[in-house]
Amino acid sequence: MRPSFHPRLVNGPLGDPVLFVPFFYEKRALLFDMGDLHRLPPKEILKLTHGFVTHTHMDHFAGFDTLLRTFLGRQKALHVFGPPNFLQNIEGKLASYTWNLVENYSHGFSLKATEVHPTYTISKVYDCKKEFRSNEAPHKAPFDGTLLAESAFSIDAIHLHHKIPCLGFNLKEQFHVNIMKDGLRRLEIPVGPWLRRFKEALYEERNPEEGFQVVWKEAGKERKVDFRLGDLAEQIARISPGQKITYIVDVIFSPENAKKIIEFARDADQLFIETAFLDAEIDVAREKYHLTAKQAGILAKKAGVKQFTPFHFSPRYSHTEHLLQEEADRAFAGVACSRQKPTHL
Ligand SMILES: [Zn+2]
Ligand SMILES: [Zn+2]
């Protein structure tokens, strides 16, 4: 199976938390946390449609300025989500710059921000051409655990305790569509942009009796073949369970947090989890409302995740990071799983 999402930690396990999740089948990406973003090229940043911030400690939110700088003057929309008081944090950032020339920009950038409370959300839109002033009343909506639901995937959030509320996130693909190359060969049709349309039709559960046209270019000429959607799916697509990616940072190892995390991350294909300290420094971890490597490994094991990536190591381990990884691995051992090495840009 070729996964639809390819998550990567932009700053590795020691740098500021930023998980960049590009889509395999289109030029689009999601972002979890906004620490230092300088290692993410503008062309990657501009693929972002949604960003999810766990909490606004500086190491998770300082990169918001880089996002703003990159999107400014572009005809784009970005929707960011964060914990209670997030709108105040966003407005504080926006208020720190002078916007007197933006009304002349030919392209406007629209920023939507949503703060997530346990039972409701509040959203506001900030328009670049209006100097990011939000003239409309905030929009309040009930929150049932799901922040974003599209035909192909959804994003869920939970509230965890880090002395302040800190959000955890799940990215869940509805199901996965594998394209069978030999099926394409038999039908004598090549891969191409039409595959995105085809997958969308399946995610949207369109009527199999509907027509579907495959269009491609051959020797400069456009070629078309008509199919019944159901027939084409039968010949070239295999459906398998979708990916689940869980992102958990900055939490104290309390019984309440542990219970929530285990349930939330249950059977994830990949869990990204903070691993700030060695268990020998459990008192420091507790004092700072963080996890130890052993605790992270235990949570990953109890949740039954397939792969887990420990990260957000304290800088005190910059020369001994292997100790954190080994301790997390030991706690996770005994279950038939593998720990994926953190990937870097
Ligand atoms: Zn942090
Ligand atoms: Zn924090």
Side-chain angles (χ1 to χ4, degrees):
M1 176 179 118
R2 206 166 197 176
S4 297
F5 304 105
H6 294 240
R8 61 183 195 253
L9 287 171
V10 171
N11 299 313
L14 274 157
D16 280 3
V18 178
L19 183 69
F20 180 69
V21 188
F23 291 30
F24 183 67
Y25 55 90
E26 62 177 299
K27 278 191 182 143
R28 184 179 171 190
L30 305 172
L31 196 68
F32 293 91
D33 272 338
M34 299 174 186
D36 185 351
L37 284 182
H38 288 103
R39 294 179 70 186
L40 198 57
K43 86 171 195 313
E44 300 279 53
I45 290 178
L46 290 169
K47 287 180 188 166
L48 294 172
T49 56
H50 297 79
F52 303 88
V53 177
T54 56
H55 63 304
T56 50
H57 280 160
M58 204 168 177
D59 53 332
H60 299 255
F61 192 47
F64 176 79
D65 283 24
T66 310
L67 284 190
L68 194 57
R69 182 73 192 89
T70 312
F71 275 95
L72 201 62
R74 310 257 180 182
Q75 195 64 47
K76 293 252 184 195
L78 178 68
H79 191 169
V80 293
F81 297 77
N85 286 324
F86 190 56
L87 297 182
Q88 205 181 313
N89 294 134
I90 290 280
E91 285 171 15
K93 290 263 195 191
L94 294 171
S96 67
Y97 296 102
T98 308
W99 301 110
N100 65 314
L101 295 176
V102 288
E103 61 189 18
N104 302 325
Y105 283 13
S106 49
H107 296 301
F109 160 55
S110 165
L111 175 73
K112 185 172 179 183
T114 297
E115 72 178 37
V116 186
H117 295 259
T119 56
Y120 63 93
T121 60
I122 305 174
S123 302
K124 270 184 166 186
V125 176
Y126 306 90
D127 199 330
C128 163
K129 286 198 168 192
K130 292 178 189 157
E131 303 184 3
F132 290 108
R133 277 192 305 266
S134 187
N135 298 330
E136 289 165 23
H139 175 72
K140 192 173 170 183
F143 173 59
D144 61 359
T146 300
L147 287 181
L148 179 67
E150 296 196 6
S151 53
F153 72 92
S154 60
I155 304 282
D156 291 346
I158 43 163
H159 287 77
L160 298 165
H161 184 45
H162 175 47
K163 202 171 184 181
I164 48 168
C166 180
L167 301 177
F169 298 110
N170 267 338
L171 162 58
K172 286 193 276 190
E173 190 183 16
Q174 198 194 329
F175 52 80
H176 189 76
V177 181
N178 303 281
I179 301 297
M180 314 305 288
K181 288 269 166 64
D182 43 342
L184 292 174
R185 256 194 309 273
R186 259 196 313 275
L187 295 173
E188 297 179 341
I189 49 176
V191 293
W194 65 269
L195 274 172
R196 193 182 139 197
R197 258 192 316 116
F198 171 68
K199 286 183 175 185
E200 268 169 15
L202 298 187
Y203 285 128
E204 285 165 13
E205 294 176 347
R206 290 216 204 120
N207 185 347
E209 298 298 329
E210 261 182 42
F212 186 89
Q213 191 168 61
V214 175
V215 185
W216 74 97
K217 281 228 166 95
E218 205 172 274
K221 280 191 185 158
E222 192 174 77
R223 290 199 51 190
K224 295 174 188 169
V225 185
D226 288 303
F227 291 94
R228 209 182 123 261
L229 180 63
D231 285 343
L232 184 61
E234 207 164 284
Q235 300 205 55
I236 68 161
R238 291 287 171 278
I239 306 297
S240 57
Q243 263 176 290
K244 174 176 172 180
I245 297 163
T246 304
Y247 181 84
I248 302 290
V249 288
D250 292 25
V251 285
I252 190 167
F253 193 73
S254 65
E256 195 192 354
N257 269 350
K259 188 168 175 273
K260 280 185 178 177
I261 294 166
I262 291 165
E263 208 170 294
F264 192 67
R266 174 81 59 213
D267 300 330
D269 293 281
Q270 200 165 352
L271 167 66
F272 290 86
I273 186 161
E274 71 133 326
T275 302
F277 298 98
L278 283 172
D279 213 54
E281 298 190 85
I282 194 166
D283 292 342
V284 185
R286 198 175 298 129
E287 212 172 278
K288 295 180 184 268
Y289 289 77
H290 276 288
L291 295 178
T292 68
K294 186 176 171 184
Q295 291 166 344
I298 288 171
L299 291 173
K301 178 183 171 180
K302 289 200 171 170
V305 305
K306 295 189 184 78
Q307 289 186 333
F308 88 111
T309 303
F311 78 112
H312 203 9
F313 299 167
S314 161
R316 71 179 67 185
Y317 303 104
S318 55
H319 299 294
T320 53
E321 54 181 287
H322 64 283
L323 296 178
L324 288 162
Q325 296 191 352
E326 285 161 15
E327 184 175 289
D329 277 346
R330 274 197 304 277
F332 189 56
V335 185
C337 301
S338 65
R339 180 183 56 73
Q340 197 188 52
K341 277 204 159 203
T343 44
H344 304 247
L345 280 180

Short mmCIF file of all heavy atoms in Angstrom, two decimals, residues 16-17 33 54-55 57-60 162 249-250 274 290 312, ligand 1:
data_model
loop_
_atom_site.label_atom_id
_atom_site.label_comp_id
_atom_site.label_asym_id
_atom_site.label_seq_id
_atom_site.Cartn_x
_atom_site.Cartn_y
_atom_site.Cartn_z
N ASP A 16 12.33 22.33 17.51
CA ASP A 16 10.94 22.70 17.80
C ASP A 16 9.98 21.73 17.11
O ASP A 16 10.20 21.33 15.96
CB ASP A 16 10.64 24.10 17.22
CG ASP A 16 11.16 25.21 18.11
OD1 ASP A 16 11.80 24.91 19.14
OD2 ASP A 16 10.92 26.38 17.76
N PRO A 17 8.89 21.40 17.77
CA PRO A 17 7.92 20.50 17.16
C PRO A 17 7.20 21.11 15.94
O PRO A 17 6.62 22.19 16.05
CB PRO A 17 6.89 20.25 18.29
CG PRO A 17 7.59 20.63 19.53
CD PRO A 17 8.54 21.73 19.16
N ASP A 33 1.48 21.70 14.79
CA ASP A 33 2.36 22.61 15.53
C ASP A 33 3.18 23.50 14.58
O ASP A 33 3.41 23.16 13.41
CB ASP A 33 3.28 21.88 16.51
CG ASP A 33 2.60 21.71 17.87
OD1 ASP A 33 1.67 22.48 18.17
OD2 ASP A 33 3.01 20.83 18.64
N THR A 54 -1.13 22.61 19.13
CA THR A 54 -1.50 21.91 20.37
C THR A 54 -1.70 22.90 21.51
O THR A 54 -2.63 22.80 22.28
CB THR A 54 -0.41 20.91 20.76
OG1 THR A 54 0.85 21.60 20.87
CG2 THR A 54 -0.30 19.79 19.74
N HIS A 55 -0.76 23.86 21.63
CA HIS A 55 -0.83 24.91 22.65
C HIS A 55 0.15 25.99 22.21
O HIS A 55 0.96 25.78 21.30
CB HIS A 55 -0.51 24.36 24.04
CG HIS A 55 0.88 23.82 24.21
ND1 HIS A 55 1.40 22.82 23.42
CD2 HIS A 55 1.87 24.14 25.09
CE1 HIS A 55 2.63 22.55 23.80
NE2 HIS A 55 2.95 23.34 24.80
N HIS A 57 2.72 27.58 23.73
CA HIS A 57 4.09 27.78 24.21
C HIS A 57 4.94 28.09 22.97
O HIS A 57 4.69 27.55 21.89
CB HIS A 57 4.60 26.53 24.94
CG HIS A 57 4.11 26.45 26.35
ND1 HIS A 57 4.09 25.27 27.07
CD2 HIS A 57 3.62 27.41 27.19
CE1 HIS A 57 3.60 25.51 28.28
NE2 HIS A 57 3.31 26.80 28.38
N MET A 58 5.95 28.93 23.18
CA MET A 58 6.67 29.49 22.03
C MET A 58 7.25 28.43 21.09
O MET A 58 7.24 28.60 19.86
CB MET A 58 7.80 30.38 22.54
CG MET A 58 8.18 31.40 21.53
SD MET A 58 9.25 32.65 22.27
CE MET A 58 9.59 33.61 20.82
N ASP A 59 7.75 27.32 21.65
CA ASP A 59 8.37 26.30 20.79
C ASP A 59 7.36 25.62 19.86
O ASP A 59 7.75 24.91 18.93
CB ASP A 59 9.13 25.25 21.64
CG ASP A 59 8.29 24.64 22.75
OD1 ASP A 59 7.36 25.31 23.24
OD2 ASP A 59 8.56 23.48 23.12
N HIS A 60 6.04 25.86 20.09
CA HIS A 60 5.01 25.25 19.25
C HIS A 60 4.30 26.27 18.36
O HIS A 60 3.45 25.91 17.55
CB HIS A 60 3.96 24.55 20.13
CG HIS A 60 4.53 23.45 20.96
ND1 HIS A 60 4.34 22.11 20.66
CD2 HIS A 60 5.34 23.49 22.05
CE1 HIS A 60 4.99 21.38 21.55
NE2 HIS A 60 5.60 22.18 22.40
N HIS A 162 -1.47 19.95 30.48
CA HIS A 162 -0.04 20.32 30.44
C HIS A 162 0.13 21.55 31.36
O HIS A 162 0.82 22.49 31.01
CB HIS A 162 0.33 20.61 28.98
CG HIS A 162 1.71 21.12 28.72
ND1 HIS A 162 2.84 20.57 29.25
CD2 HIS A 162 2.14 22.14 27.91
CE1 HIS A 162 3.90 21.25 28.80
NE2 HIS A 162 3.50 22.21 28.00
N VAL A 249 1.79 15.82 22.15
CA VAL A 249 2.97 16.49 22.75
C VAL A 249 2.59 17.16 24.07
O VAL A 249 1.43 17.48 24.32
CB VAL A 249 3.56 17.59 21.83
CG1 VAL A 249 4.27 16.99 20.65
CG2 VAL A 249 2.51 18.59 21.41
N ASP A 250 3.58 17.41 24.87
CA ASP A 250 3.50 18.23 26.07
C ASP A 250 2.31 17.88 26.97
O ASP A 250 1.33 18.62 27.09
CB ASP A 250 3.47 19.73 25.69
CG ASP A 250 4.81 20.16 25.09
OD1 ASP A 250 5.52 19.28 24.56
OD2 ASP A 250 5.13 21.35 25.16
N GLU A 274 5.74 13.06 22.28
CA GLU A 274 6.85 13.74 22.93
C GLU A 274 7.55 12.78 23.91
O GLU A 274 6.91 11.94 24.54
CB GLU A 274 6.36 14.97 23.69
CG GLU A 274 5.55 14.62 24.94
CD GLU A 274 5.99 15.41 26.17
OE1 GLU A 274 7.19 15.72 26.29
OE2 GLU A 274 5.11 15.72 26.99
N HIS A 290 5.73 17.13 31.48
CA HIS A 290 6.15 16.42 30.27
C HIS A 290 6.22 14.92 30.54
O HIS A 290 6.18 14.48 31.69
CB HIS A 290 7.55 16.90 29.84
CG HIS A 290 7.51 18.15 29.02
ND1 HIS A 290 7.07 18.17 27.72
CD2 HIS A 290 7.88 19.43 29.31
CE1 HIS A 290 7.16 19.41 27.24
NE2 HIS A 290 7.65 20.20 28.19
N HIS A 312 10.67 15.60 20.37
CA HIS A 312 10.61 16.72 21.32
C HIS A 312 11.49 16.41 22.54
O HIS A 312 11.08 16.58 23.69
CB HIS A 312 9.16 17.02 21.73
CG HIS A 312 8.95 18.43 22.23
ND1 HIS A 312 9.92 19.40 22.14
CD2 HIS A 312 7.89 19.03 22.84
CE1 HIS A 312 9.45 20.52 22.66
NE2 HIS A 312 8.22 20.33 23.09
ZN ZN B 1 7.02 21.93 23.98
#
